[in-house]
Amino acid sequence: MTLARGLAILFLLLALYCALDPFDHSPIAGFPDFEVHKINLPAWSEVPTHRDKDNLLQQSEVMFVNQVQGPESIAFDPLGRGPYTGVADGRILFWNGQSWTDFAYTSPNRSEQCNPKASASPFSYVETEHICGRPLGIRFDKKTGDLYIADAYFGLMKVGPQGGLATSLATEAEGVPLRFTNDVDIDQEGNVYFTDSSSSYQRRNFIQLVFSGEDSGRILKYNPATKETTVLARNIQFPNGISLSKDGSFFVFSEGSGRLYKYWLKGDKAGTSEILAILPGFPDNVRVNGNGDFWVAIHSRRYMYSYLNALYPKLRKFILKLPIPANIQYLHLIGGRFHALVVKYSPQGKLLHILEDSEGKVVRAVSEVEEKDGKLWMGSVLMPFIAVYKLT
């Protein structure tokens, strides 16, 4: 056999292996109805290029290592106590100043399979989170002390100031189930605004949702007086964080395409939305601070590889059919490694502050930024710790 013929046979076998994926290594194996969609991205020239050249987030203090697994959201109660955070095994924990204690649950199932696991990681609970619950965004009602919870599987929930098992408020809207409830906020009248990231994919399949680029996400409102849930905006590509403005005249929400939107609740523009800012990457939660500015957690910057993947769905599907595991494909999308980036915007959409750890040396990922008493408390759905950065 000649060398050329041997190489040809090897290439043919490799092509067959890639085409057939006999060991189901590709990210879309097991998803027979998987479809890809073109993502409506901002122009590449509009993506901000501002950087924190000093990598100031590397000065953060990493706290509670392996005591909290996947602390997506962080909150302090009306008395300033906390933090509180939801973790991967379905619990909401409270830091009492000395240790973490159980505060609340979203699932009545606290059987052995839902117990914290030794030597666990945030990924250790993915297979059971639809049973045990996965609390994502959490917010306290400053008037009542009730904690509102966006549980990825059980929908919009609430628990009283004493904690315990949360009660369900909404599990569907317009007959469509909430499949990926993500973040939540409450106005002065007690109305609750929240996001449902997808009507097709659950949180445990969030990578497939990212790869798909489908836009079945919704922004919703729950009225506690009528107990009705209404859809304020639909056909959103991976809506994630949501936060009311300081004066309550509007809220902002982030979209997976890399935009921050303003939705007007009052005034002549009430019921309409507009782009507030183009973000430097894939956003997660949004939180308003005491001055009325908005901190946005950026999961990763937008790179040319991910940009082209979004614009050319046929190319993306071809790559996704290759027998390359989902975690490897995902790392390619986010630039090859985990890193951290947080940005602050004014209510008018002006970029005010940017902090990052571009090398992922200290803060490897951020899902939310909560500003309190001159410090930024940063949670991450992917990491086993909370990072704290001193602003002053």
Side-chain angles (χ1 to χ4, degrees), residues 24-36:
D24 291 339
H25 285 154
S26 82
I28 58 176
F31 293 86
D33 299 324
F34 180 86
E35 292 293 338
V36 291

Side-chain angles (χ1 to χ4, degrees), residues 339-353:
H339 51 278
L341 172 66
V342 302
V343 286
K344 183 171 71 172
Y345 289 92
S346 73
Q348 295 75 39
K350 181 181 179 181
L351 178 61
L352 300 176
H353 206 163

